[in-house]
Amino acid sequence: MSTRQNDELAQERLIDLAAEFYDQFASGDIPHMDIPTRTKSNIVFDEESKVWVYGDRKSTRSANSVRGARKLLKAAYAIEFLVNQLEENRSSTLRELYYLSESWDNEEAQFNDQSESNQLIEDLEIVSHVTREDFHMRPEESGAKVMGPLHIREQTRRGDRDIHCQEDVGQGGYQIPNNPDTIEFLDNDAAFVLCVETGGMRDRLVENGFDEKHDALVVHLGGQPARATRRLTKRLHDELDLPVVVFTDGDPWSYRIYGSVAYGSIKSAHLSEYLATPEAKFIGIQPQDIVDYDLPTDPLSDSDVNALESELEDPRFMTDYWEEQIELQLDIDKKAEQQSLAARGLDFVTDTYLPDRLGEMGVL
């Protein structure tokens, strides 16, 4: 589907939502909008897509209360703004939408904070089945980048440009755009995709030439990965048939980073089939690595312990592998960062740890 067709579909879906409010008024019904309940208890595993999605439980935004009426009023104003934005072929950031609402003529329609406007955009995505990227809504820059043997064509407002993600970029790599679906894959010599949590580790891999030696596409996640990063990772797997492995710190918060890449997150479960790569494998740091390599560590905090215990009940981690690793971590009461591998030398991660792990996983 062309960019213009996407814009037209997004406009049509938004207008349909507004028309539904009008029809509810006209028929004497209290205006309302039903949205899947966004909680862990309403996450179910979809056997066909192999990702976690929202279940059947719904929450209702209804005008039968002052609070609910305000939410629907804000939705109506946001829909009008988004339709006009698409008509004018403009774009804006989530932060700008929050501030833009202060110029709306009805104070009740203005957002109290950015978390409220962000949630509304997510609500509109869910009920319209259109992504915010197709609303022309952008997050603040994530800074995520790619380095490796990939030749692409990127669509920009100034025309198309061809880029090789090793030869045509500096040490920083190619910055992932807000909407990776505007990228056309021209050619590649990649063997696999290595998603890396921290910038320091990403820089170590590039400096040591890991991407060149092993034909790796190194994707910097930048902490909890942005949707654009997850979408590009999924496309690299699905369209180029590249294995995906995720390399993070060895703590419960980093395991959730892996979980969001592989299975999606609770917040964006409505987009799991669009963003998640269920075939992605976790490469480390594993709790077993902490033991085997005697890595420098920090003790688990109370919040770490609570998070690990929560993950034992999280459907994304209900496998023998994760149960074994999490139980081990609770037993040793330790966590470790990616950079702790430097205790064995700056080249250990690229010359020994990653090649050994990738070999065990059948990637190298």
Side-chain angles (χ1 to χ4, degrees):
M1 187 179 293
S2 69
T3 300
R4 188 57 201 162
Q5 287 175 318
N6 280 339
D7 291 354
E8 291 173 352
L9 175 62
Q11 289 182 69
E12 180 182 330
R13 295 277 179 83
L14 288 167
I15 292 170
D16 285 346
L17 285 178
E20 188 173 340
F21 293 153
Y22 179 85
D23 290 343
Q24 290 168 349
F25 269 119
S27 63
D29 296 330
I30 297 174
H32 63 275
M33 183 167 62
D34 294 327
I35 302 165
T37 303
R38 281 180 268 177
T39 61
K40 188 189 298 183
S41 62
N42 195 38
I43 295 286
V44 297
F45 187 70
D46 186 284
E47 291 289 349
E48 184 176 349
S49 62
K50 304 300 181 185
V51 296
W52 297 100
V53 298
Y54 289 132
D56 295 331
R57 291 173 55 191
K58 303 282 186 181
S59 299
T60 300
R61 309 279 192 268
S62 173
N64 65 355
S65 68
V66 173
R67 184 169 179 268
R70 284 198 183 103
K71 285 182 176 293
L72 292 186
L73 179 67
K74 293 175 183 185
Y77 269 78
I79 287 171
E80 180 182 30
F81 166 75
L82 292 172
V83 168
N84 290 337
Q85 175 168 270
L86 288 166
E87 186 65 35
E88 297 168 4
N89 194 26
R90 302 287 299 277
S91 66
S92 56
T93 67
L94 294 170
R95 187 67 173 165
E96 286 173 327
L97 175 61
Y98 161 58
Y99 285 119
L100 276 165
S101 75
E102 296 190 6
S103 67
W104 293 345
D105 57 15
N106 190 324
E107 289 187 7
E108 297 292 342
Q110 297 171 10
F111 299 114
N112 297 315
D113 52 49
Q114 189 178 342
S115 63
E116 185 181 29
S117 56
N118 286 355
Q119 184 179 48
L120 177 57
I121 291 296
E122 291 167 8
D123 289 345
L124 293 177
E125 280 188 313
I126 293 171
V127 296
S128 69
H129 304 288
V130 174
T131 68
R132 75 180 183 206
E133 288 78 12
D134 287 329
F135 292 157
H136 291 195
M137 292 302 303
R138 296 178 281 109
E140 302 307 313
E141 294 295 337
S142 70
K145 296 179 180 178
V146 177
M147 175 69 84
L150 175 67
H151 190 199
I152 64 171
R153 177 167 294 145
E154 182 184 59
Q155 300 173 25
T156 74
R157 287 181 175 272
R158 297 175 179 81
D160 294 349
R161 61 172 185 156
D162 292 0
I163 303 168
H164 191 282
C165 296
Q166 271 177 332
E167 299 171 3
D168 299 331
V169 299
Q171 286 288 98
Y174 166 72
Q175 182 155 324
I176 301 172
N178 170 57
N179 186 358
D181 286 342
T182 62
I183 295 173
E184 177 185 354
F185 298 139
L186 300 179
D187 193 17
N188 82 94
D189 295 310
F192 62 97
V193 178
L194 176 63
C195 298
V196 182
E197 176 183 355
T198 67
M201 180 55 70
R202 178 262 173 213
D203 291 346
R204 168 56 51 208
L205 300 183
V206 172
E207 180 177 314
N208 285 13
F210 185 83
D211 56 306
E212 295 177 309
K213 183 176 181 180
H214 296 286
D215 294 326
L217 279 177
V218 179
V219 177
H220 176 212
L221 296 177
Q224 187 64 38
R227 286 168 37 154
T229 309
R230 288 182 282 157
R231 175 58 180 163
L232 180 61
T233 300
K234 179 174 179 61
R235 287 195 62 203
L236 291 169
H237 173 271
D238 291 356
E239 298 174 34
L240 302 184
D241 197 28
L242 295 175
V244 174
V245 294
V246 182
F247 185 25
T248 74
D249 288 339
D251 63 57
W253 318 104
S254 296
Y255 305 153
R256 294 180 185 184
I257 289 174
Y258 160 73
S260 71
V261 172
Y263 305 115
S265 62
I266 292 174
K267 187 177 180 181
S268 59
H270 59 293
L271 295 171
S272 289
E273 292 183 60
Y274 175 78
L275 298 177
T277 307
E279 299 83 2
K281 304 298 183 184
F282 182 75
I283 196 169
I285 300 289
Q286 306 173 107
Q288 190 64 51
D289 297 329
I290 295 175
V291 176
D292 291 346
Y293 295 110
D294 191 23
L295 297 177
T297 61
D298 292 309
L300 296 176
S301 66
D302 289 343
S303 62
D304 291 330
V305 172
N306 290 337
L308 287 168
E309 291 176 344
S310 176
E311 285 168 356
L312 287 173
E313 300 177 0
D314 187 322
R316 295 175 298 176
F317 296 97
M318 286 184 177
T319 66
D320 291 342
Y321 169 80
W322 279 110
E323 288 178 11
E324 178 183 318
Q325 291 298 315
I326 291 172
E327 292 288 2
L328 173 61
Q329 188 152 32
L330 288 168
D331 184 52
I332 64 176
D333 193 32
K334 295 176 180 178
K335 60 184 178 182
E337 298 180 354
Q338 292 178 307
Q339 283 81 356
S340 67
L341 293 168
R344 290 174 167 259
L346 289 179
D347 298 333
F348 179 75
V349 65
T350 51
D351 290 357
T352 304
Y353 178 79
L354 285 176
D356 286 354
R357 286 285 292 132
L358 289 165
E360 292 169 6
M361 301 168 78
V363 177
L364 281 185

